Amino acid sequence: MTQIITDRNSDPTPEPVQTSHDAKMFGSPKDRLDFYRREIQYETSILSHRTDAYLAAQAFLVIAFASCMANINPEWGKFFTLTVPPLLAILGIVISLNAWPGIRAAYDIIDHWHFKQSELLSSEPVMGLAYDESPLFCEMESTHKGYKKSLMFSVRSPWIFGCFWMALGAFSLYIQMT
């Protein structure tokens, strides 16, 4: 099978004109809303998994820190409690600093999809009315204030634990030095 290659600019057949229906990626505003909702759910589950993994790591570090501080071995306990707990505190700070960008990125993506959803609901009056009349939905979940409050724990936890580890590290050094 042979094919004739021609210059596209010299081709006399015009490109088919795209209709507004073809230009839309989704068939209806409902399809678009469903897509936004799925993306929000997917990103929220990613944020949840990242937060769970981060909190599990922090829990193990707190247990290890407490165990190290409780060391009363007369031969090497003093040196051990002087070095290991501050190192664990530094590790906790490093983990917090490394967890922050991933948690923040997931939060920003969720924020983006919520913005798209609220714009869709405000730009499509029929969709907005149907959305507001439905007993399963309320306006609280489509506003910035509503979902941001629900995500604050995940966003703030690296900063809270970072400060917590700085305080614990300073405390462990203070206890051993005095």
Side-chain angles (χ1 to χ4, degrees), residues 24 26-38 40 112-132 142 144:
K24 288 184 180 180
F26 303 101
S28 70
K30 169 89 170 80
D31 293 338
R32 186 173 293 139
L33 180 64
D34 290 342
F35 175 75
Y36 294 160
R37 289 239 171 224
R38 281 191 306 272
I40 290 168
H112 168 76
W113 289 116
H114 269 281
F115 174 75
K116 299 282 276 183
Q117 174 183 285
S118 66
E119 289 297 310
L120 173 68
L121 293 174
S122 65
S123 69
E124 296 284 339
V126 174
M127 190 68 185
L129 290 174
Y131 179 81
D132 291 335
S142 65
H144 284 289

Side-chain angles (χ1 to χ4, degrees), residues 19-90:
T19 64
S20 64
H21 179 71
D22 293 336
K24 288 184 180 180
M25 182 176 170
F26 303 101
S28 70
K30 169 89 170 80
D31 293 338
R32 186 173 293 139
L33 180 64
D34 290 342
F35 175 75
Y36 294 160
R37 289 239 171 224
R38 281 191 306 272
E39 289 300 310
I40 290 168
Q41 183 179 11
Y42 174 73
E43 291 298 331
T44 302
S45 70
I46 287 175
L47 178 63
S48 174
H49 292 303
R50 288 177 184 169
T51 304
D52 288 347
Y54 171 72
L55 292 176
Q58 293 299 315
F60 283 117
L61 277 177
V62 170
I63 292 168
F65 182 89
S67 298
C68 290
M69 289 298 291
N71 187 352
I72 55 171
N73 188 317
E75 294 177 23
W76 50 273
K78 183 82 170 162
F79 177 74
F80 183 80
T81 54
L82 179 64
T83 57
V84 176
L87 289 175
L88 289 174
I90 291 170

Side-chain angles (χ1 to χ4, degrees), residues 77-159:
K78 183 82 170 162
F79 177 74
F80 183 80
T81 54
L82 179 64
T83 57
V84 176
L87 289 175
L88 289 174
I90 291 170
L91 180 61
I93 292 168
V94 168
I95 290 172
S96 294
L97 291 173
N98 283 318
W100 168 248
I103 290 172
R104 183 62 196 197
Y107 173 81
D108 288 340
I109 293 170
I110 292 168
D111 187 41
H112 168 76
W113 289 116
H114 269 281
F115 174 75
K116 299 282 276 183
Q117 174 183 285
S118 66
E119 289 297 310
L120 173 68
L121 293 174
S122 65
S123 69
E124 296 284 339
V126 174
M127 190 68 185
L129 290 174
Y131 179 81
D132 291 335
E133 290 171 4
S134 177
L136 295 177
F137 304 119
C138 67
E139 189 164 329
M140 179 74 165
E141 62 190 15
S142 65
T143 62
H144 284 289
K145 187 178 179 183
Y147 75 89
K148 283 188 177 189
K149 282 184 178 179
S150 67
L151 300 177
M152 279 299 113
F153 176 75
S154 293
V155 173
R156 290 181 180 160
S157 59
W159 294 107

